[in-house]
């Protein structure tokens, strides 16, 4: 059976179950840009779904990502503070982030890195994490990996969710979502609210840096005919972050940033050739706005930053044969930024890019899938970039054993800040990377025990860094990142769920000079996650999490060492009825004193109590 037959809504990037597969089969979209079984890709991909988020009681996406192998998190302060994700030792700017299939990376940031600090889990239905480069499908920034975040999807019939919780530091959360489908229309709409007094972001402060966040999400899909479907999605986030600035005011400073994010998607899915061909036409819009004020220091902390991305896409896939699927796409993207500080005249920058890609998915024999593709991007300010990639997945025994192999190329185009005057260098080239993976997965005892291990090796060249010689950005850095990811899942009974992962990452600076051979900043060499959950016979669920992060360095010279740390959490939930449940958790149970980024605070012991309901 071909990939297109697995879903009548390929490219819609919405989870569906209308395909022939086992109940355990995972469906992923980050490998090829449309839905396919995970067993048909050689790329390393993990899924954190709504049930897992509820089980972990994760308040933020970054907390959930810490349980995923190959991912490390660095947060500068409390809830809402800047939070960076590093995949397989790559820079935070080398992680491409999507919300409901739309790029959300921050154009107002100098390097375009996405800040996970403001992304709560309230109405998130699923997070898909691809580890390793995949610029053939996703273009710029897909060097370290891709994180695709999806809001709660429509369901058959009607379903509503509501949850509220209260915790330490006067933290309040509330979220609600309704979703439904009648066959012709599918829809989902929700909102969430978070407010906290917080902690001082910088160490040594006595004033608290508070945070509030309001977000909304909506999705609508209308089946106009058997071969034509309209698809509309949107996400909005409005947050106010009090923070401490290194540019004045110190740990008791009073700067505030008011942030706005909007994502919009309008698309049409069109079938042709008796369903053998799927086409998706879409327009997407991303808007980001940040306004900073500082009543005491002013200067750099008073800013007005705006950025936007307009994108048009045409993606098609055709089943040439049961053993061959061809995928192709054409894209046009236009980006814009406006930057001003302390009331100065805004600096405006623009760029556009035209892209095309093709991919072949071949199934020559049962159990073997081979994928190969190529992409070419032409940027208005620096020229073209070509990326290649390929992977293979093979199972000799219907999925009980899986062998995976991947070769992937990734690139990151210079941001408007890096590449255009007055701050940038117009002679910059894109950062590039080449990566290969080798992995194996094995199931035992009818799937009750699962293990996996993956070796990866990535070489990155022409990385953009600030030059102390020219006092501008230059393509001067080289990095080698290699390591091993391993995981174990145990489900001896339906009531017990144990999951463990371990990551070894050697992210080494290969740039000629004083820092040659040093470790990349904020990339721990060793990290481990262990979660264990048990549902008692009388309904109570109890669980615990252990996160062990090894030593790392805070700077490129490796002169500032950050000691490793261990965090332990406890959680429990109890259903009061089929529709109502109470829950609670204690994070950092032993009140460990740890540092994620030098000079910044981290949370001590915290307690939270909540109620959630379905109807």
């Amino acid at each position: 059976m071909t990939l297109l037959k697995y879903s009548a809504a390929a490219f819609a990037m919405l989870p569906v179950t209308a395909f022939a597969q086992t109940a355990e089969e995972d469906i992923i979209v980050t490998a090829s840009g449309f839905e396919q079984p995970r067993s048909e890709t050689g790329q390393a991909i993990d899924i954190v779904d709504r049930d897992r988020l509820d089980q972990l009681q994760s308040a933020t996406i970054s907390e959930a990502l810490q349980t995923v192998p190959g991912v490390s998190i660095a947060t500068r302060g409390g809830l809402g503070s800047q939070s960076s994700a590093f995949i397989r030792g790559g820079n935070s700017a080398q992680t491409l982030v999507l919300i409901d299939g739309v790029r959300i990376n921050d154009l107002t940031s100098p390097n375009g890195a996405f800040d996970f600090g403001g992304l709560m889990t309230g109405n998130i239905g699923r997070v898909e994490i691809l580890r390793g480069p995949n610029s053939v499908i996703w273009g710029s920034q897909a060097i370290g990996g891709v994180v695709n975040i999806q809001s709660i999807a429509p369901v058959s019939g009607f379903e509503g969710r509501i949850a509220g919780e209260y915790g330490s530091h006067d933290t309040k959360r509330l979220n609600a979502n309704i979703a439904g489908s009648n066959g012709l229309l599918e829809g989902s709409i929700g909102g969430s609210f978070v407010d906290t007094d917080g902690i001082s972001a910088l160490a040594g402060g006595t004033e608290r840096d508070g945070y509030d966040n309001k977000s909304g999400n909506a999705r609508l899909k209308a089946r106009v005919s058997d071969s034509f479907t309209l698809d509309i999605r949107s996400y909005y986030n409005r947050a106010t972050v009090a923070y401490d600035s290194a540019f004045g005011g110190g740990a008791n400073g009073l700067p505030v940033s008011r942030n706005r994010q909007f994502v919009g998607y309008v698309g049409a899915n069109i079938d042709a050739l008796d369903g053998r061909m799927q086409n998706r036409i879409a327009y997407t819009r991303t808007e980001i706005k940040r306004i900073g004020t500082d009543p005491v220091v002013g200067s750099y902390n008073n800013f007005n930053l705006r950025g936007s991305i307009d994108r048009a896409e045409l993606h098609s896939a055709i089943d040439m044969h049961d053993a061959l699927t061809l995928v192709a796409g054409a894209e046009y993207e236009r980006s814009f930024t406006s930057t001003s500080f302390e009331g100065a005249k805004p600096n405006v920058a623009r760029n556009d890019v035209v892209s095309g890609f093709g991919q072949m998915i071949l199934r020559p024999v049962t159990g073997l899938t081979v994928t190969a593709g190529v992409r070419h991007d032409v940027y208005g300010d620096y020229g073209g970039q070509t990326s290649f990639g390929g992977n293979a997945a093979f199972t000799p025994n219907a999925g009980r054993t899986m062998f995976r192999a991947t070769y992937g190329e990734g690139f990151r185009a210079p941001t408007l800040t890096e590449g255009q005057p007055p701050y940038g260098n117009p002679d910059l080239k894109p950062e590039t990377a080449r990566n290969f993976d080798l992995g194996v997965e094995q199931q035992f005892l009818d799937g009750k025990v699962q293990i996996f291990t993956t070796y990866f090796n990535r070489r990155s060249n022409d990385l953009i860094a600030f030059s102390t010689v020219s006092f501008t950005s230059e393509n001067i850095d080289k990095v080698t990142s290699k390591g091993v990811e391993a995981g174990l899942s145990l489900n001896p009974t339906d009531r017990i769920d144990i999951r463990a992962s371990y990551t070894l990452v050697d992210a080494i600076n290969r740039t000629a000079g004083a820092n040659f051979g040093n470790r990349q900043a904020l990339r721990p060499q060793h990290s481990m996650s262990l979660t264990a959950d048990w549902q008692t016979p009388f309904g109570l669920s109890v669980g615990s999490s252990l996160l062990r992060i090894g030593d790392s360095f805070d700077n490129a010279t490796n002169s500032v060492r950050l000691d490793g740390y261990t965090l332990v959490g406890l959680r429990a939930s109890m259903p009061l009825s089929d529709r109502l449940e109470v829950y609670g958790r204690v994070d950092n149970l032993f009140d460990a004193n740890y540092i994620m980024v030098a000079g910044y605070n981290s949370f001590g012991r915290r307690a939270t109590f909540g109620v959630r309901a379905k109807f």
Side-chain angles (χ1 to χ4, degrees):
M1 179 175 289
T2 61
L3 288 178
L4 294 176
K5 293 179 182 177
Y6 279 100
S7 169
F11 299 117
M13 304 188 80
L14 306 177
V16 297
T17 56
F19 42 75
Q21 63 170 70
T22 65
E24 294 79 18
E25 181 78 76
D26 288 326
I27 297 299
I28 49 93
V29 297
T30 51
S32 61
F34 64 94
E35 295 177 333
Q36 66 182 117
R38 183 174 175 271
S39 60
E40 291 196 355
T41 179
Q43 296 179 313
I45 297 175
D46 276 274
I47 298 170
V48 181
D49 61 15
R50 183 69 247 176
D51 290 341
R52 179 63 169 166
L53 292 174
D54 287 342
Q55 182 187 61
L56 295 173
Q57 298 184 26
S58 300
T60 66
I61 293 297
S62 58
E63 290 177 359
L65 290 179
Q66 291 185 100
T67 67
V68 176
V71 181
S72 60
I73 301 293
T75 301
R76 293 164 171 79
L79 187 66
S81 298
Q82 182 184 5
S83 186
S84 303
F86 308 98
I87 299 181
R88 290 182 169 177
N91 294 334
S92 58
Q94 296 174 339
T95 297
L96 175 64
V97 182
L98 311 167
I99 293 184
D100 284 335
V102 182
R103 302 172 73 99
I104 191 66
N105 286 64
D106 189 355
L107 274 75
T108 67
S109 169
N111 63 2
F114 179 76
D115 179 5
F116 283 88
L119 194 56
M120 306 294 131
T121 60
N123 290 325
I124 301 301
R126 169 186 168 105
V127 183
E128 191 174 313
I129 306 101
L130 181 148
R131 307 189 302 278
N134 192 12
S135 284
V136 168
I137 299 300
W138 301 108
S140 178
Q141 291 194 278
I143 290 182
V146 180
V147 179
N148 185 22
I149 301 157
Q150 297 178 358
S151 57
I152 294 177
V155 297
S156 178
F158 176 84
E159 178 184 84
R161 295 170 173 259
I162 187 168
E165 61 181 53
Y166 180 81
S168 301
H169 310 290
D170 196 26
T171 302
K172 302 171 284 290
R173 293 188 179 90
L174 178 67
N175 59 270
N177 195 91
I178 57 174
S181 171
N182 64 4
L184 297 178
L185 293 176
E186 302 177 1
S188 174
I189 187 170
S192 68
F193 166 78
V194 178
D195 181 79
T196 182
D197 287 348
I199 60 176
S200 176
L202 283 174
T206 57
E207 59 85 34
R208 295 183 174 185
D209 293 307
Y211 176 71
D212 70 74
N213 181 308
K214 304 175 184 67
S215 64
N217 56 277
R219 296 165 66 159
L220 177 65
K221 200 170 182 182
R223 189 172 298 279
V224 179
S225 69
D226 290 342
S227 61
F228 187 88
T229 304
L230 291 176
D231 189 3
I232 303 172
R233 317 168 202 163
S234 65
Y235 169 83
Y236 178 74
N237 182 294
R238 179 187 181 110
T240 301
V241 186
Y243 65 100
D244 294 325
S245 172
F247 295 93
N252 289 320
L254 300 176
V256 174
S257 179
R258 293 173 174 83
N259 307 328
R260 311 287 184 269
Q261 294 177 320
F262 169 78
V263 164
Y265 175 104
V266 179
N269 303 306
I270 306 168
D271 297 351
L273 303 178
D274 296 325
R276 292 191 300 110
M277 184 178 187
Q278 302 285 333
N279 303 284
R280 180 171 68 91
I281 303 172
Y283 164 74
T284 71
R285 169 84 175 180
T286 301
E287 295 180 0
I288 296 176
K289 185 175 183 179
R290 302 187 187 278
I291 299 175
T293 57
D294 189 333
V296 178
V297 178
S299 185
Y300 183 86
N301 297 329
N302 287 337
F303 55 81
N304 191 324
L305 312 176
R306 294 185 294 124
S308 64
I309 304 173
D310 290 285
R311 187 178 182 88
E313 305 173 342
L314 171 59
H315 290 186
S316 298
I318 181 170
D319 286 330
M320 305 299 294
H321 187 272
D322 285 352
L324 176 63
T325 298
L326 299 180
V327 181
E331 302 167 353
Y332 173 77
E333 177 181 295
R334 185 169 188 178
S335 54
F336 161 87
T337 60
S338 173
T339 305
S340 65
F341 295 92
E342 193 65 57
K345 182 180 178 180
N347 293 302
V348 176
R350 294 181 174 87
N351 195 16
D352 59 7
V353 55
V354 178
S355 309
F357 70 88
Q359 190 177 62
M360 176 187 70
I361 304 173
L362 182 65
R363 310 166 199 86
V365 296
T366 301
L368 175 63
T369 304
V370 179
T371 302
V374 60
R375 178 188 185 97
H376 186 69
D377 298 84
V378 179
Y379 282 79
D381 55 359
Y382 76 81
Q385 177 67 34
T386 302
S387 304
F388 295 92
N391 64 82
F394 175 64
T395 174
N397 50 19
R400 295 187 300 277
T401 305
M402 284 294 310
F403 297 99
R404 303 184 193 274
T406 299
Y407 170 79
E409 296 182 356
F411 78 97
R412 184 179 78 85
T415 66
L416 296 179
T417 301
E418 292 170 332
Q420 295 191 15
Y423 307 113
N425 176 4
D427 294 326
L428 286 177
K429 299 182 293 184
E431 301 180 347
T432 59
R434 295 181 178 182
N435 174 89
F436 71 86
D437 292 1
L438 293 173
V440 61
E441 303 171 17
Q442 181 64 54
Q443 298 182 15
F444 304 94
L445 302 177
D446 295 326
K448 294 180 179 179
V449 179
Q450 302 179 54
I451 61 173
F452 82 89
T453 184
T454 301
Y455 170 79
F456 63 89
N457 188 308
R458 182 178 68 242
R459 291 184 174 270
S460 302
N461 295 308
D462 295 323
L463 300 188
I464 299 170
F466 184 78
S467 170
T468 57
V469 177
S470 63
F471 293 98
T472 188
S473 295
E474 299 280 358
N475 293 108
I476 55 178
D477 279 358
K478 298 180 180 181
V479 173
T480 298
S481 182
K482 57 185 178 181
V484 176
E485 301 158 340
L488 169 68
S489 176
L490 300 175
N491 299 102
T493 72
D494 292 339
R495 298 180 179 275
I496 297 176
D497 181 19
I498 300 173
R499 308 186 198 189
S501 67
Y502 167 76
T503 304
L504 166 66
V505 176
D506 279 324
I508 305 299
N509 191 331
R510 296 299 178 188
T511 307
N515 296 327
F516 180 85
N518 288 352
R519 296 194 178 278
Q520 290 291 90
L522 303 179
R523 276 52 147 215
Q525 184 180 20
H526 303 279
S527 59
M528 184 188 74
S529 170
L530 172 65
T531 66
D533 292 87
W534 175 46
Q535 185 181 54
T536 66
F538 54 90
L540 175 69
S541 295
V542 294
S544 180
S545 297
L546 184 149
L547 180 68
R548 174 60 189 173
I549 303 297
D551 295 351
S552 62
F553 295 97
D554 190 75
N555 56 357
T557 61
N558 286 186
S559 60
V560 179
R561 177 182 288 273
L562 302 177
D563 292 334
Y565 56 90
T566 301
L567 300 179
V568 177
L570 291 179
R571 56 184 175 269
S573 62
M574 181 69 185
L576 303 181
S577 69
D578 292 340
R579 301 180 181 272
L580 183 65
E581 181 181 40
V582 295
Y583 64 92
R585 64 182 179 275
V586 179
D587 298 308
N588 194 2
L589 177 66
F590 299 110
D591 200 23
N593 184 14
Y594 65 102
I595 299 174
M596 300 181 79
V597 180
Y600 287 88
N601 267 331
S602 296
F603 278 119
R605 184 187 297 113
R606 294 177 292 161
T608 302
F609 173 80
V611 180
R612 53 194 176 207
K614 295 181 181 181
F615 56 90

